Amino acid sequence: MRKIKTAALGKTAALILTAALTAASLAGCGSGSETKEAGAAGSTAAAGSTAAAGSTDAAAGKTLEEKKGDFKDEIHVVLSSSPSHLDIVMTTEDVAAAVAQGTIFEQLVALNEQYEAVPELAESIDVSEDTKEYIYHLRQGVKFHNGEEMKADDVVASMNRWIEAASNAKAMVGDARFEKVDDYTVKISMDAPCAYLNELIAGLGNRAAIMPASAIEGADPTTGIVKEYIGTGPYKFDKWEEDQYIRIVKNEEYTPYGTDGDYSGWAGYKNAYTPTVYYDIVTDPGTVTAGLQTGEYDVAVDISYDNIDMFKNNEDFQVQQTLGEEAMLIFNKKEGMGADEKIRQAVQAALNCDDIMLAAYSKPEFYDLYSSYMFREQSDWYSEEGSGCYNANDPEKTKALLEEAGYNGEPFKLLVASDSQDFYKMAVVVKSQLEAAGMNCELLTYDWSTFVGIRNNEPDQYNAFITSFSPKVMPSMNLYLSSEWAGWCTDETIQEGLVSINTDTSKENAIKTWNELQKYMNETSVPVAKFGSNFRFMVCKAGFEDLGFFEKPIVVNAKLYE
């Protein structure tokens, strides 16, 4: 057995993202480890540097206790859409994780800014040499928000629920499930090697949140969603005013662990210095811009790309540019036209990805075009295999493939969320390109909540949908390759290849398998049609200290000076 305490978990180093990804995606506002030195007005912060921006006058020469009197009691973070719910085990919505991950809920392990899985609610972990058995030694004395102490029964119930909810997890561990060893120890024993289990727990879209067994038992019997959001984090769920805001408040019983200031990514020392955090639901970009200017909102991500320069040139704000997400057309491969391989190839051949991304993000410097399913910055997993089929913009090839498929003019139904403006703009251009290539296309436009419901539960209603995905540590974590998630990627070649990657303790062999899969997916199976990857921006007031940005604003240590 290898025992792991505070270091990155075993075998992670072979899979972590490169320094370039870290530098691109981990910027923050204020004086935390992920921030920029306060400098010229309107400068864009570089990741990995430190400073206090706009707060030095209030904070100079004061101890933390003295500075507390200068902190605001509440901060307002903008959400561009409303989550369906906050049970982040049962949803992959980034907007839900933006509110609940690391604040309300914690995990056995969490990702740091190098995309390494490190212990969180687990104090130490033993991993067998063949990576078939993992033993987690739990932190003792950790309290849930309902006052109950976290023990093995809660962890077993939470982790096994996560496995059932997350098809990627189920595919990795097979029939294995977590078991109680004693009140503060749990284990899982797999039949096959499972070298990357901790990476999966830390980085999957379905978050492996630890909840009380009693809350899980009381979940809705139809949906499986918990009725109360009870975690162990430094903030407690307080109120949800429909379509207006979600409010979380400081958990007065929370005991930070680790060293103050030692926080990276989603992992490490956490303290709710700001007693109240509002997540304001604001779907109109113009309203967000105006609210930032008037001081109604303190932090916003994904503001209108047309307004970025406005904030860059204003000394009252900091603008952080980070690596964003990969936008894709996800085919419904369960039934209908999306289940036809030739139709999928035809749609892919029609796409001019530059026009699609330009419509959504307004300038070429705001996005990047390449065929790899893994980000360019992920040098180990980045692959150009099959890239000749990407961004083809070939209407004649589309027409030939449609003829092979026996296409008769029936509408290709494209599902899109109306309150995700970038996706909607993409859908309009895709529709135009498909029609130019001789394919009838119908847009099905709904608000986000309705969109998710149809996407997940009514595959007979649509043929494809548009969404985007943040970086994942390894290919098998990409949700769009799951056989059970919307899109239903059941292709045997793909699924067998992913299993091989999951169980292969040779990184070289795993990468070779992924390159072969990438070629097959681009040229033949086409489970998705990738558009490109964007860059994201966070705007925050200059008076912040220790506000991090790791795919989402990190508020757990944030302080905003009056």
Side-chain angles (χ1 to χ4, degrees), residues 39 48 72 104 115 122 190 210 237 273 340 357 361 377 490-491:
K72 292 187 68 173
I104 298 172
Y115 279 74
M190 279 82 56
I210 303 300
F237 172 79
Y273 292 108
D340 187 323
M357 296 295 284
Y361 304 118
E377 290 77 6
T490 57
D491 186 300

Side-chain angles (χ1 to χ4, degrees), residues 7 41 62 74 100 102 123-124 127 171 185 269 286 323 370 471 514 524:
K62 293 185 177 182
E74 64 183 49
E123 189 166 47
S124 65
V127 183
T185 312
Y269 184 94
L323 192 65
Y370 53 86
W514 174 243
T524 305

Side-chain angles (χ1 to χ4, degrees), residues 42-53:
S43 60
T44 302
S49 52
T50 61

